[in-house]
Amino acid sequence: MSAAGWMVVVAPVAAFVVLTSVLWTRRPDAVAPLRLAVVRAALLTGVFAVLTVELLGALRALTLPAVAVAWLLFLAATVAAARPWRRRAAVAPAAVAPAARTGTLVGAATGAPASGTGPAATPVSPAGPSGTARRPASASGGLASALTGVRARLAHFRGTASRGERLLAGTVGGLVLVELLVALLAEPNNFDSQTYHLPKVEHWVAQGSLDFWPTAIHRQVTIPPGAEYLLLHLRLLTGGDALHNLVQWAAALGCLVVATRVVAQLGGGRRAQLLTAFLLASTPMVALQATSTQTDLVAAAWAGCAGTLALDGLRRRADVGSLLALGAATGLTALTKTSGLLAVGPLLVLWGVAQLRLAFRPASTDVDPGSATDGAGSAGEGRGAAGVARTIGGSLLVLLVAAAVVGPFLARVTVEFGHPLGPPRLRESIPMERHDPASILVNALRIGHTAFDTPLAPLRAGTAGAITDGSRAIGVDPQDRAITFGREVFPVPAWYPDEDRVAFPLAGTLALLGAVFALARPARISPTAPAALRAYAVAVVVAVGLHTATIKWQPWGNRLLLYALVAAVPLAGLWLDALLRRRLGPGRRSVAAGLVVSMLAASALAGVLALSYGFPRRLVGAGSVFTTSEWDTRFLRRPHWAEEFRWAAAAVRASDARRIGLVQQNDNWEYPWWLLLRDGEGRSPELLALQSVLPDRPPADPASVDAIVCTGSRTACAKLVPAGWTLEFRDYVGYALPPGR
C-alpha cells in the first residue's frame, strides 16, 4: 500500500485523541474524568466505525477510497468541534471542586487518587495538599492543554507514589509494551480467525457489501461481526492484515481503563486501581488475547464501558450525553459478542433502579460524592412522576441507540434465517438446552473447574472426579449434550497458556473473594461507597450466574468468560487494598502483606510466562515471533498444513484460474486461500462456495468454475469434482483442475 494510504490509518487514532480532549468533562465532581473521556471517545469512534460500514455496505461501496474519505471527514469534524470548545474554555473561569472530604481518596473529584496507604488517606491534588482539587487544565479543552494535564498527572504520580505503586505501574506498562511488540510482529494465527473471523472480512472486501454469501461455515454470517467491522477498516486502509492484532491490543487497554475507573467509582484509591490493573494485565488470557485477532477482549471492553457508565448513574441523574453513551456501549457489546449482554443487562437494571431512586430524592440533598446515593441533580431537576417519566424515556433512548447499532445486522440475520439469533444449529449449539436447577449447578461447577484449573494434575483429577460423581448422584449426566457443547468431553486441562483455553485461577479466586467480602462487609472494603460496592457486586454475581445458566460448558469456555472477569477484577483490587489497609497487629499485618505480595508475584510470573512461552504467539522458544517466518507463524496451530496450502495454491495459480470453487467443512481454514490466491496486484480472488448451509443462497455450480480447492475431506471434495477433472489431494488440502489446465 502507498505511504499516503498508511497515513490515513492515523486518522482514526488522531480523531480519538482529539475527541478525548473535547469530551474531557468539566464537572468538578466527575470521577476519573480523563478515563471517562477515553470511554466516551472510544464509544463515539466505535459507533462511527460501525455505522460507516453499515452505510457503505448498503451502498455497496466498501472500498478504500470511501473508507478513507469517511475517516478524514470524521477527523475534520472532531477538529472543528474542538475549536469552539477551546474558545469557550478560554473565557470560562477555572472550576474548583468542593473540598475533599476526610477519608475520600483523591480521584473521586480529580481522577488522580491518592495512594491509599492508610485507612483515611489524606487527599492530594495536582494543585497541592490544601484540600481543594482544582480541575485539570486539560479539562479546559484543547489537545495541547490535555497533554499538559496528562504530563502533570504523571509528574504528580512520580512525586507521590510509593515504591510498591511504582512497581505495579511499571509492570503493567511493561506488559502492555511487550504485548504491543508481539501484536506488531506476529501474523494473525488464531484458529477461529482462519475459519471465520478473517474470511468474513475478505468476503466483504471482495463484494464491497455486507450481503450474506453461500458458505459451508455458518459462523461467517451468523456470529455477530462487531470486532470484524473494526478489522475491515484496517484491511481496507492497509491492504492487508499487518495491523489486525492491534484491535484486541487496544481493547486490552480499554479493559484496563474501565476496570480502574470502576475501582475509583467504588471508592478505591490509587493503590486499589493499580492493583486492579496489575491483576488484569498479568492474567494470561488477557495477555495472550491482547496480541490476537479473537474478539473476546473487544466484547469485554465494550461491556466494561457499559459498566462504568452505569455506575455513574448511581450518583447522578443521567443527561442526554450519558444516555447516548450507555446505549452505544450496549449496542457495541451486542454487535460484538451477544454473551456480553449477560453482564450489561444486570448493570442496566442497576442503573435503572438507581435512576428511579434519584428521581424521588430532593434536589437539595447533600450526599457524599463517593456514595451510591449521591447526585440527586440540580435544583431544576424533575422529581416524582416527572422523574419516573424521565427515567423511562432515558431507558428507551438507551435501547433505541443500542438498536441503531446492532439492528441492521439482526435485521439481515432475521431475513435470512427467520430468527434474529440465526439458524437452529447456532441457537442449539451454544445456549443451554436444559434449565432445571440440577443441570445449571452441574454446568456451573464444570465451568468453574475449567476456569480455576492449575498445573496440579492430582487436584484437577480429584475435583473433576468429584463433580462427575456428584452430577450423576443428582441425576445429571456430566456429558449431557443439552449442557455440553458439541461432542466435547469434560474435563479438559486448561492451565497451559493457550489463548483459547488458559485458566485464570489467581485472578478468578481473588475476584471471588472480593465479591464475597463486597457482599458481606462492603463498608470494610470501601468506607466511602459501601452501597455502590454491594450493588455492583450483586450485578457481577448475577452476570456470572446468568452465564452458567445460559451457555454450555466447552473446553474453550474460559475466553467466553473474559467479559465477566474484567467486570469482577475491580472487586479483587478493592479487597486486596482493604487487606493491606486494615489496622492489624504487627504480626498479622505482616502475614496479610506477605500473602498479598505472594499472590501478586505469582500473578506477575503467570503473565510473564504467558507472553514468553504462550501459544500460538511467544517471545522465546520454538515459534518465537523473532525467529519464525511469516507463513510459518500463521500455521503454528497446524504446521503440517502450511506446505499443503502452498502446494495447492501454486497449482491453481499456474492454471490461470479466475473463478475458484471452494469445498470445506464447518471448522476448516479458509483464510489461507484469500492470501495465497490474490493476483499479482493484491486483488482478492473470486472464491465461490460449492456448498452452502444458507437455505436461500445456493452454492455455485462446480462446472461454472475454473478450478476447485478443498480442505478437510477428500471424499466430500471428490463428490463435487466434475467428471473428467483431475483431483489431487494430500492429507488436509487438495485441488481439482479441468482437462487442459
Side-chain angles (χ1 to χ4, degrees), residues 85-106:
W85 184 272
R86 287 197 297 268
R87 286 197 296 268
R88 289 196 302 269
V91 299
V96 178
R101 298 169 185 266
T102 302
T104 301
L105 300 173
V106 172

Side-chain angles (χ1 to χ4, degrees), residues 394-415:
S395 302
L396 291 175
L397 180 58
V398 169
L399 296 178
L400 286 174
V401 173
V405 174
V406 72
F409 167 72
L410 293 181
R412 288 193 297 275
V413 173
T414 303
V415 170

Side-chain angles (χ1 to χ4, degrees), residues 292-335:
S292 170
T293 47
Q294 265 292 7
T295 62
D296 304 286
L297 277 176
V298 180
W302 295 136
C305 289
T308 190
L309 293 171
L311 283 179
D312 280 338
L314 304 190
R315 304 174 63 249
R316 66 178 62 83
R317 297 287 286 165
D319 55 21
V320 174
S322 299
L323 295 172
L324 293 175
L326 192 55
T330 303
L332 289 170
T333 302
L335 186 63

Side-chain angles (χ1 to χ4, degrees), residues 25-336:
T25 180
R26 292 182 291 177
R27 287 201 316 267
D29 64 335
V31 178
L34 173 58
R35 279 168 279 177
L36 176 59
V38 169
V39 167
R40 290 175 169 176
L43 291 172
L44 184 53
T45 305
V47 168
F48 175 80
V50 166
L51 296 184
T52 297
V53 169
E54 291 288 357
L55 177 60
L56 295 180
L59 298 174
R60 308 189 67 83
L62 285 172
T63 62
L64 168 58
V67 170
V69 168
W71 280 113
L72 291 175
L73 290 175
F74 184 65
L75 175 59
T78 59
V79 172
R83 290 177 180 174
W85 184 272
R86 287 197 297 268
R87 286 197 296 268
R88 289 196 302 269
V91 299
V96 178
R101 298 169 185 266
T102 302
T104 301
L105 300 173
V106 172
T110 68
S115 61
T117 55
T122 303
V124 182
S125 77
S130 60
T132 60
R134 192 187 319 172
R135 174 175 53 84
S138 55
S140 65
L143 182 58
S145 58
L147 294 176
T148 300
V150 172
R151 287 195 295 268
R153 290 169 183 272
L154 292 176
H156 174 68
F157 176 81
R158 288 193 296 268
T160 61
S162 66
R163 181 179 302 176
E165 290 172 339
R166 289 169 181 262
L167 182 60
L168 292 173
T171 303
V172 172
L175 289 171
V176 168
L177 291 177
V178 173
E179 289 162 5
L180 175 60
L181 176 65
V182 175
L184 290 172
L185 291 179
E187 287 72 29
N189 60 1
N190 173 263
F191 194 103
D192 285 347
S193 296
Q194 307 276 15
T195 300
Y196 67 95
H197 289 311
L198 300 185
K200 73 170 66 173
V201 174
E202 296 300 325
H203 278 286
W204 294 332
V205 173
Q207 64 191 23
S209 73
L210 300 176
D211 295 342
F212 290 165
W213 53 90
T215 179
I217 304 174
H218 75 86
R219 291 174 292 173
Q220 291 183 357
V221 296
T222 57
I223 299 294
E228 290 89 340
Y229 280 1
L230 305 180
L231 292 176
L232 175 60
H233 286 274
L234 292 176
R235 168 65 176 85
L236 289 170
L237 292 174
T238 66
D241 58 17
L243 301 183
H244 279 11
N245 291 332
L246 294 186
V247 171
Q248 281 262 108
W249 179 80
L253 288 184
C255 290
L256 294 177
V257 168
V258 296
T260 55
R261 184 169 189 265
V262 165
V263 173
Q265 290 171 291
L266 297 177
R270 184 169 66 197
R271 186 175 62 193
Q273 295 172 49
L274 288 172
L275 288 167
T276 299
F278 180 90
L279 287 175
L280 191 57
S282 59
T283 298
M285 178 67 78
V286 175
L288 290 170
Q289 285 227 8
T291 64
S292 170
T293 47
Q294 265 292 7
T295 62
D296 304 286
L297 277 176
V298 180
W302 295 136
C305 289
T308 190
L309 293 171
L311 283 179
D312 280 338
L314 304 190
R315 304 174 63 249
R316 66 178 62 83
R317 297 287 286 165
D319 55 21
V320 174
S322 299
L323 295 172
L324 293 175
L326 192 55
T330 303
L332 289 170
T333 302
L335 186 63
T336 304

Side-chain angles (χ1 to χ4, degrees), residues 610-649:
L611 279 176
S612 300
Y613 298 99
F615 197 74
R617 291 166 303 281
R618 57 177 50 166
L619 290 173
V620 297
S624 166
V625 295
F626 297 113
T627 60
T628 309
S629 68
E630 172 189 346
W631 191 248
D632 289 338
T633 298
R634 295 182 185 277
F635 281 84
L636 281 174
R637 285 285 187 191
R638 298 291 186 271
H640 53 289
W641 291 353
E643 182 54 36
E644 292 192 24
F645 270 99
R646 284 190 290 197
W647 160 76

